[in-house]
Amino acid sequence: MIKTVKYTRDILPEEFTNDLSAQSHRFQHVEAVAREAFRRYGYREIRTPIFEHTELFARGVGQETDIVSKEMYSWTDVNNDRLTLRPENTAPVIRSYIEHKMWASSDLVKLFYIGPMFRRERGQKGRFRQFYQIGVEVLGKSDNPAIEAEVIEMIYWILDELKISDTELLVNSVGCPACRPQFNETLRRELAPLLRELCADCNRRYETNILRVLDCKQDAERTAQLTPILDLLCRECNLHFLQFRSYLDHKGIPYRVEPRLVRGLDYYTRTAFEVTSRTLGAQSALLGGGRYDGLSETLGGPPTKGFGFALGLDRFVMSLPHDLADPSRPELYIAYLGERAFAYAMTLISKLRRQGIACVMDFEQRSLRSAMKLADKLKVAKVLIVGDNELDQGQLILRDMRSGEQQLLTEDELLRFFHGQK
Ligand SMILES: [Zn+2]
Ligand SMILES: [Zn+2]
C-alpha cells in the first residue's frame, strides 16, 4: 500500500477522521473568516505558482536562513532551471508586484494569499512539510506605522471571529540599515565571551546572521542580559516604533514589547511582531510578520515599502473551538423504497438542489434500516422517506434525525418547508 509521505497528511471531510485538526471544514472556516476580513479591509487576492526559481528565495529570504540552507525542496529541471517549491510566499508576492508593475498603478497595494508552502522541517508535533499559510502584504510608497496597526487590528478581528482567545501580541523593532550595523557590532562584542557556552547553531549564526542568536530558545537564558536592540535604534526607527505603539494604544490593542523578537527571515526592518497562543504552549507563535522595506530592491524592483504577516493555518485549526459544526454537511438525505420511488426521488432531489438545499441520496436499493444508518453517519439533520405506497397518496415522510419525530407532507409543503428555512 502506498501511503502519504512522512510528515505530510490528508485534510479530510469530518466523517473520515476523528482528528479535529485534520478536518477540511475547519480549514474552510478559517479561510472564510480571513477572506471576510480581507474584504472589509480592502485586500485583493493573489495566487502565485507553487514553484519558483530557486534564486528568488536565495535572494529574497536569505542564503543564511535555515529555510534556504536546509529546508527547501529544490530540483534541477530538464532544461537546467533550478526550481524550488515555495517555502514562504512574501518573496513570490514581491516578485509578482515587480513583474506586473503594480507599483505603477497604485501607491498602496494590499494583497492576500492562501495556500500550501513546503519546508523540509524536522518532524515536530504539529509541523508538516506541506503546511498552509494565509498572509497579506501591503506594498507601496508609504511606511506609515498606521498601516502596521491596521493590519494587527485586522488580525484581532480574525482571532475574535474564530473565538481564538488567550493570545498575546509581542512587538519589537529590528532597526534599519542605518542602525542595525551598530547593533550587530555591539552584539558581536557582547557575545564573543559567551560563544563557547552557546549551541552549535548560534556559533554558526554568530558568523552569518548574528541577529538570529537572539531568537534561539535553547540559549535564551545566556543571552538575556545583552543590550536590547531598542537601546540602539536610530532616531527615525525610534520614532517609527513609538508611533506604531501609540497607534496600537489608540486602537486599544494590548501588546508586550519583546526585545528578543527578531523573526527568522533576513529581510525584516523596523517593526516585527508575533501573536502567540498560551493554549498551544508557551513559545507557540500563531502568526508573525513585520516590515521589509528594501526587499523589492533586493529582488530588482523599485524602492518599495512593505509590511505583512503570515499565519499558519494548521495551527489556527488546532486552536479552534471543538464544537464547530460543518456548514457544508448535507441537510437532507432521501431514502426511497421501490422502483417508482427511486424515479421520483431522482426528480425531487434535482428540484431541491435547484432551490439551494444540500441533499444526498443513495443509488442502490437498500432497506430503510440501512438507509437510516447511512444518514446517521453523514450527520444529516433530516431524512425524507419516499415509498411506493406513500407516493400513491401523494405523501412524503420527513424525519428529524435528532428528535426522531416524523411528519407527513406533500411535495409542495416540503419545498416550502425548506424554502422557509433559508
Ligand atoms: Zn534605524
Ligand atoms: Zn543557540
Side-chain angles (χ1 to χ4, degrees):
M1 188 177 55
I2 300 173
K3 294 186 170 184
T4 48
V5 174
K6 210 171 177 191
Y7 307 124
T8 69
R9 61 170 177 168
D10 298 317
I11 311 294
L12 298 168
E14 58 175 352
E15 58 269 34
F16 301 115
T17 176
N18 293 323
D19 178 357
L20 297 184
S21 72
Q23 295 180 345
S24 52
H25 76 94
R26 290 171 184 272
F27 280 73
Q28 286 173 7
H29 181 60
V30 178
E31 289 165 9
V33 167
R35 280 179 187 279
E36 177 57 18
F38 299 148
R39 188 186 70 80
R40 294 187 186 197
Y41 282 80
Y43 286 82
R44 313 282 293 153
E45 183 174 12
I46 180 169
R47 301 188 189 201
T48 57
I50 300 278
F51 58 96
E52 300 265 1
H53 290 289
T54 303
E55 197 195 346
L56 174 66
F57 302 109
R59 270 163 65 185
V61 181
Q63 243 355 312
E64 300 307 332
T65 56
D66 285 355
I67 295 178
V68 173
S69 63
K70 300 188 220 168
E71 296 172 351
M72 293 204 305
Y73 286 95
S74 301
W75 70 99
T76 305
D77 217 18
V78 281
N79 55 358
N80 280 327
D81 279 342
R82 290 286 298 154
L83 304 176
T84 292
L85 291 180
R86 62 183 187 193
E88 62 96 56
N89 212 30
T90 298
V93 170
I94 309 293
R95 194 255 321 124
S96 178
Y97 172 82
I98 299 166
E99 189 169 335
H100 298 281
K101 297 192 172 56
M102 294 181 203
W103 43 272
S105 38
S106 178
D107 277 358
L108 195 69
V109 176
K110 297 165 92 173
L111 300 168
F112 80 87
Y113 60 83
I114 299 178
M117 309 293 153
F118 306 85
R119 290 182 201 174
R120 190 184 273 105
E121 297 202 62
R122 287 168 297 153
Q124 295 154 278
K125 195 179 178 315
R127 297 260 188 161
F128 301 96
R129 292 183 172 182
Q130 172 171 336
F131 58 101
Y132 295 84
Q133 280 192 340
I134 299 180
V136 312
E137 315 295 349
V138 186
L139 302 160
K141 295 205 167 80
S142 171
D143 64 351
N144 194 319
I147 295 169
E148 302 162 11
E150 189 193 78
V151 167
I152 289 170
E153 179 192 71
M154 177 174 74
I155 289 168
Y156 272 88
W157 187 86
I158 294 173
L159 290 168
D160 286 348
E161 212 49 28
L162 292 173
K163 302 186 170 63
I164 297 178
S165 51
D166 216 9
T167 58
E168 188 176 28
L169 170 63
L170 310 178
V171 299
N172 192 25
S173 173
V174 295
C176 71
C179 55
R180 181 129 21 108
Q182 198 208 334
F183 175 69
N184 284 351
E185 219 22 74
T186 309
L187 206 53
R188 193 158 283 128
R189 206 176 51 240
E190 292 183 350
L191 277 173
L194 300 174
L195 270 183
R196 245 178 302 159
E197 300 166 40
L198 301 184
C199 74
D201 278 341
C202 283
N203 272 275
R204 191 172 48 79
R205 288 174 192 141
Y206 182 82
E207 302 298 338
T208 57
N209 187 358
I210 193 161
L211 208 55
R212 290 226 42 212
V213 172
L214 293 178
D215 103 303
C216 177
K217 310 271 186 265
Q218 218 179 310
D219 293 322
E221 268 178 44
R222 289 180 195 87
T223 54
Q225 303 307 320
L226 302 173
T227 304
I229 191 164
L230 295 175
D231 288 4
L232 297 169
L233 293 181
C234 66
R235 218 180 61 87
E236 286 74 20
C237 283
N238 212 8
L239 189 65
H240 187 99
F241 193 52
L242 285 174
Q243 271 184 333
F244 166 62
R245 292 174 57 180
S246 78
Y247 288 134
L248 289 180
D249 293 338
H250 181 75
K251 286 175 181 291
I253 300 170
Y255 60 87
R256 180 162 66 80
V257 176
E258 173 50 75
R260 315 177 56 81
L261 177 69
V262 292
R263 312 280 310 144
L265 311 182
D266 277 353
Y267 51 64
Y268 284 99
T269 55
R270 293 193 172 162
T271 309
F273 74 97
E274 228 171 64
V275 174
T276 58
S277 155
R278 292 191 190 89
T279 342
L280 283 177
Q283 287 162 331
S284 258
L286 265 179
L287 62 93
R291 175 160 291 289
Y292 48 81
D293 302 343
L295 179 56
S296 167
E297 289 98 308
T298 306
L299 297 174
T304 302
K305 312 290 184 188
F307 185 78
F309 80 92
L311 65 82
L313 200 40
D314 304 81
R315 289 191 158 200
F316 261 63
V317 166
M318 284 200 289
S319 316
L320 291 179
H322 288 186
D323 56 351
L324 185 74
D326 180 357
S328 62
R329 210 181 267 169
E331 297 155 79
L332 179 70
Y333 177 91
I334 301 183
Y336 55 89
L337 301 160
E339 278 304 321
R340 274 195 306 131
F342 176 60
Y344 173 78
M346 282 206 294
T347 316
L348 178 64
I349 200 167
S350 305
K351 285 186 198 168
L352 287 163
R353 284 171 174 162
R354 254 178 264 138
Q355 282 208 2
I357 320 292
C359 40
V360 286
M361 64 182 278
D362 193 17
F363 299 101
E364 307 305 321
Q365 291 282 351
R366 56 174 86 229
S367 70
L368 191 57
R369 228 188 85 165
S370 85
M372 285 302 169
K373 252 195 204 160
L374 199 71
D376 206 42
K377 203 159 181 231
L378 291 170
K379 295 182 175 167
V380 294
K382 301 227 183 302
V383 174
L384 187 74
I385 303 162
V386 186
D388 285 352
N389 289 341
E390 284 78 12
L391 271 188
D392 290 338
Q393 292 147 31
Q395 298 277 21
L396 304 162
I397 301 166
L398 185 64
R399 182 188 171 92
D400 185 290
M401 291 301 277
R402 197 170 293 167
S403 66
E405 276 171 40
Q406 300 196 153
Q407 50 177 318
L408 279 173
L409 347 105
T410 64
E411 183 181 310
D412 277 349
E413 285 167 339
L414 177 80
L415 292 172
R416 251 178 288 140
F417 173 83
F418 276 106
H419 197 69
Q421 282 199 331
K422 289 278 139 186

